[in-house]
Amino acid sequence: MHSFKEQRLYIDGEICDASSGETFANISPATGHKLCDVQIASSADVDRAVASAKNAFTDWSQLAGAQRGRVLWQAAQRLREQTDDLARLESLDTGKPVTEARLDVVGAAEVLEYFAGLVPAIHGQHINLGQSFAYTRREPLGVCAGIGAWNFPLLIASWKIGPALACGNTLVFKPSELTPLSTLRLAEILTSAGLPPGGLNVIQGPGRVGDSLIRHPSVAKASLTGSVATGKKVLNALADRVIPVTLELGGKSPLILFKDCNLRQGVTGAMLANFYCQGEICSNGTRVFVEDEIFDAFIADLLSRIRHLRIGNPLDPQTQMGALISHAHKEKVLKYIETGKNEGAHLLYGGQSPLLDAPFDFGFFLQPTVFTDCTDTMTIVREEIFGPVMSILRFKDEDEVIARANNTDFGLGAGVFTQNLQRAHRVVAQLQAGICWINNHNYAPAEIPFGAYKQSGLGRENGTAAIDHYTQIKTVYVEMGELADYP
Ligand code: NAP
């Protein structure tokens, strides 16, 4: 059985005790046993973390971009060196397969490398106005608050920390209380790579700790990855101070398979878009629209392959589906499955806990689950489940499927499988989603902007677009002539 010593906070370049005297238990999703206790930050700790980040901002923001880039690059190399170790830690904490966790660590390193390379190229503009001119400066914002969800703890942290630090900001980060471990390691790695104390502070605790962090008067920007409900709370909390915010929220993304797609690839895409990371992915294509003509063939291929998904010990390199994040979350997903059945959807596959040997018999595992006979108004088709539950819907033509795909308040991702080039681009141009994939789903390398339309979020992470969200533009007008006398 795995266990760790009590986890603490990371402030001013070192691990330190919280002053609250309170802790919470961090539970292993795979076994249900306690991994460790974690200290909860008090409001005094939040103050201390923000003050330390504010202090560090003075020097960090003054460095040349290339100097900041070198620190990020160094940190990325250390992440790469520690890939096995960190992947194991992330797998234990999240319940996801270790092979997927490895890709998360490499992905986090790639994000830091991307922003390390980009930072020397961040600059303002010169605007010629004839005799006079203006120029713009891209300035950092100050102390940023980052708040993470539990499905990709290290990646989510790096998507915020990479661009924030590159642009000259400092950061206080609160991971989800369900996955507190890897961000602490990332902070240590950044310090060892040369980030000055206070450049990144990590505080721990439940939502109320995140709330007091974003409300802190010295915080200049907040970035949340979480549910739409929490996003609305954060937006409300920041309204009084009118500070910028990035929100990466939930989704109920469509994945459309046209009859002219490569069916084998389409089924692979649909399975990855629903069962990778146990289905706990914000942009998952959980509404799988299949054109009438290929419906039966799609179901046959899906059923022939789904049985072979290997569920179990997340640390086993052969495992393809691990455990859901918590008992409460598994119960929530099971409730959605019951609702699906009660509302008339047909449970084609799964819906139950797999039978596993000890110590995984007390873990939060769930079979990959597929519903057919779904309608657009069913709860399982409208609401984000955030588990391995695929809803399959039939459609007859392009206009119909576009209208149905867009008929939601969410707008995070959308996938289209077709071999018709013109159709692919025609359809994605009409889909209301921040990120669309053609003949793939969920792929999100550091180079491409990731974000949402509608209630699924605000702002963008990754790509050069992220720079806009971690800098502010100052315009400087320079008068080269003489002002006419007035009056
Ligand atoms: P969540 O319940 O909204 O929590 C997200 C984070 O916000 C956690 O750290 C949480 O703390 C904190 N929090 C809760 N209330 C807060 C408040 N009032 N003020 C400030 N912070 C607060 O979401 P989750 O269950 O962790 O994650 C699942 C959701 O995240 C899904 O909806 C998923 O789609 C979304 N997500 C979106 C993306 C994206 O890129 N768009 C990526 C991943 C996940 P505690 O949990 O520690 O209490």
Side-chain angles (χ1 to χ4, degrees):
M1 213 63 71
H2 302 277
S3 64
F4 299 88
K5 60 180 192 266
E6 186 168 288
Q7 299 292 299
R8 303 189 282 161
L9 314 182
Y10 193 88
I11 300 177
D12 229 19
E14 58 186 21
I15 296 279
C16 60
D17 280 322
S19 64
S20 68
E22 292 177 87
T23 58
F24 63 87
N26 180 27
I27 303 296
S28 157
T31 63
H33 288 99
K34 185 163 85 174
L35 284 173
C36 60
D37 287 311
V38 183
Q39 298 185 1
I40 298 178
S42 66
S43 58
D45 298 324
V46 174
D47 282 348
R48 197 154 57 92
V50 174
S52 147
K54 194 173 173 186
N55 191 37
F57 176 75
T58 310
D59 288 343
W60 180 250
S61 60
Q62 293 302 318
L63 291 180
Q67 287 175 290
R68 292 197 296 266
R70 276 198 286 276
V71 172
L72 293 178
W73 185 268
Q74 256 315 317
Q77 303 328 302
R78 285 167 201 230
L79 274 172
R80 286 186 184 283
E81 284 157 19
Q82 298 179 36
T83 300
D84 289 342
D85 200 23
L86 283 165
R88 195 179 149 78
L89 185 76
E90 195 78 327
S91 173
L92 285 170
D93 211 10
T94 58
K96 68 170 65 184
V98 71
T99 45
E100 294 183 12
R102 270 192 125 261
L103 296 177
D104 291 0
V105 181
V106 173
E110 287 171 351
V111 169
L112 298 188
E113 284 161 356
Y114 174 75
F115 286 106
L118 196 62
V119 58
I122 299 172
H123 52 66
Q125 287 178 308
H126 175 272
I127 302 149
N128 189 351
L129 297 169
Q131 185 183 22
S132 296
F133 66 95
Y135 64 93
T136 59
R137 291 166 51 87
R138 276 216 176 248
E139 297 183 346
L141 300 161
V143 178
C144 299
I147 299 182
W150 41 259
N151 55 342
F152 288 90
L154 197 58
L155 262 185
I156 288 171
S158 65
W159 282 24
K160 301 184 193 311
I161 292 164
L165 292 179
C167 293
N169 306 282
T170 54
L171 224 104
V172 180
F173 194 91
K174 187 201 89 67
S176 164
E177 66 182 323
L178 296 172
T179 51
L181 301 179
S182 58
T183 323
L184 286 170
R185 289 286 295 276
L186 181 59
E188 287 177 317
I189 285 172
L190 276 156
T191 300
S192 74
L195 183 69
L200 169 65
N201 296 322
V202 179
I203 56 173
Q204 304 281 6
R208 66 180 153 83
V209 174
D211 181 62
S212 66
L213 171 62
I214 59 165
R215 287 178 192 271
H216 195 287
S218 295
V219 164
K221 185 228 160 82
S223 178
L224 165 84
T225 299
S227 61
V228 173
T230 306
K232 289 179 181 176
K233 285 187 201 160
V234 166
L235 209 48
N236 271 315
L238 301 183
D240 261 359
R241 291 196 299 119
V242 198
I243 65 168
V245 61
T246 301
L247 299 175
E248 292 287 0
L249 308 177
K252 191 76 192 178
S253 301
L255 175 59
I256 305 171
L257 275 72
F258 286 101
K259 62 184 175 198
D260 55 21
C261 74
N262 175 326
L263 189 62
R264 179 93 190 153
Q265 289 275 294
V267 174
T268 302
M271 289 181 75
L272 286 170
N274 281 274
F275 308 133
Y276 191 87
C277 196
Q278 304 78 239
E280 298 166 325
I281 301 186
C282 51
S283 50
N284 263 356
T286 44
R287 290 184 293 146
V288 179
F289 289 95
V290 183
E291 196 161 4
D292 265 345
E293 287 85 340
I294 57 166
F295 189 85
D296 292 343
F298 173 84
I299 298 288
D301 195 26
L302 177 66
L303 282 179
S304 73
R305 291 158 71 181
I306 198 168
R307 292 180 287 117
H308 300 296
L309 274 175
R310 289 185 293 269
I311 311 180
N313 179 4
L315 291 178
D316 180 343
Q318 299 302 314
T319 294
Q320 291 168 307
M321 276 181 75
L324 297 191
I325 190 68
S326 66
H327 176 69
H329 186 58
K330 180 178 166 185
E331 290 299 308
K332 185 176 150 191
V333 176
L334 283 171
K335 207 166 149 202
Y336 271 114
I337 292 171
E338 273 316 297
T339 306
K341 288 193 273 187
N342 292 338
E343 290 184 4
H346 170 62
L347 179 65
L348 182 72
Y349 189 88
Q352 292 179 347
S353 306
L355 289 175
L356 296 173
D357 293 335
F360 305 110
D361 47 347
F362 284 104
F364 316 129
F365 296 87
L366 187 60
Q367 291 172 328
T369 298
V370 179
F371 280 105
T372 52
D373 295 344
C374 300
T375 64
D376 295 355
T377 54
M378 286 178 177
T379 307
I380 55 166
V381 177
R382 285 186 294 105
E383 296 183 11
E384 182 183 45
I385 300 174
F386 218 54
V389 184
M390 180 193 294
S391 296
I392 305 178
L393 302 126
R394 301 174 80 119
F395 73 94
K396 286 188 180 4
D397 70 60
E398 193 178 302
D399 289 343
E400 172 211 332
V401 77
I402 292 169
R404 291 171 64 193
N406 287 336
N407 186 19
T408 168
D409 288 334
F410 294 113
L412 186 50
V416 175
F417 275 78
T418 173
Q419 296 196 74
N420 178 330
L421 195 63
Q422 287 160 330
R423 186 206 291 274
H425 295 289
R426 185 171 64 231
V427 171
V428 293
Q430 295 173 77
L431 290 174
Q432 296 161 358
I435 179 154
C436 295
W437 290 275
I438 296 173
N439 294 329
N440 204 336
H441 202 93
N442 278 342
Y443 184 54
E447 294 89 337
I448 67 177
F450 188 93
Y453 282 15
K454 300 188 190 170
Q455 292 192 18
S456 290
L458 284 176
R460 291 292 177 273
E461 294 193 305
N462 286 344
T464 54
I467 302 304
D468 292 335
H469 298 286
Y470 283 99
T471 54
Q472 50 195 342
I473 293 177
K474 180 181 281 172
T475 304
V476 182
Y477 172 81
V478 183
E479 180 57 64
M480 296 296 286
E482 298 295 326
L483 296 187
D485 275 355
Y486 178 81

